[in-house]
Amino acid sequence: MVLNRVTYRRRLSYNTKSNKTRQNKTPGGKLVMLHSTKKTQLSKCGDCKCELRGVPAMRPSKMVNLSKSVKTVPRTYGGTKCGCCVRNRIVRAFLIEEQKIVAKVLKAQAAKK
């Protein structure tokens, strides 16, 4: 009876998240360990935590090699916040400015009286 014992192929000898492996048989009939990469997650919006469209799901080491136009969306806060949250921020800022103007006008009218 043949024992099919396999060992890690890299220096890290512990079963950690970064050292996940699977067994594979080579064409020569030898059983070897293949290291698998971590699963990727889609980028999430900083405000509502929904998944961002237009941004690829890749590991950070792969993202470094991509151009900026691939990693982001051509918009304010593109690649970090979703379109709905950006729209809400713009509307909120506009309404706050409007509120300040109205308060200033009311104060000026009260001063005239």
Side-chain angles (χ1 to χ4, degrees):
M1 188 167 119
V2 178
L3 284 176
N4 288 327
R5 290 189 181 178
V6 290
T7 56
Y8 287 120
R9 301 173 86 176
R10 296 180 185 164
R11 290 179 188 271
L12 182 59
S13 60
Y14 299 103
N15 186 22
T16 60
K17 284 196 298 184
S18 62
N19 203 26
K20 293 299 176 195
T21 57
R22 62 186 171 90
Q23 291 184 352
N24 193 21
K25 197 167 249 185
T26 61
K30 189 177 173 188
L31 200 64
V32 294
M33 293 278 256
L34 292 181
H35 289 269
S36 57
T37 56
K38 287 185 178 181
K39 288 184 180 177
T40 58
Q41 286 187 328
L42 281 168
S43 299
K44 301 239 183 330
C45 173
D47 292 346
C48 66
K49 309 300 183 215
C50 68
E51 294 173 344
L52 293 176
R53 293 179 294 280
V55 181
M58 289 185 166
R59 299 298 299 166
S61 57
K62 300 279 187 205
M63 281 280 237
V64 171
N65 300 328
L66 296 178
S67 64
K68 187 178 178 185
S69 61
V70 176
K71 289 186 273 194
T72 63
V73 180
R75 179 179 59 230
T76 308
Y77 296 107
T80 59
K81 306 228 183 311
C82 67
C84 296
C85 292
V86 173
R87 187 185 309 125
N88 291 341
R89 277 174 177 250
I90 292 169
V91 169
R92 189 184 309 127
F94 174 75
L95 292 175
I96 289 171
E97 290 299 316
E98 286 287 310
Q99 209 172 19
K100 287 178 185 175
I101 293 169
V102 169
K104 190 184 280 186
V105 169
L106 290 174
K107 192 173 182 182
Q109 287 178 350
K112 283 187 179 178
K113 289 181 182 179

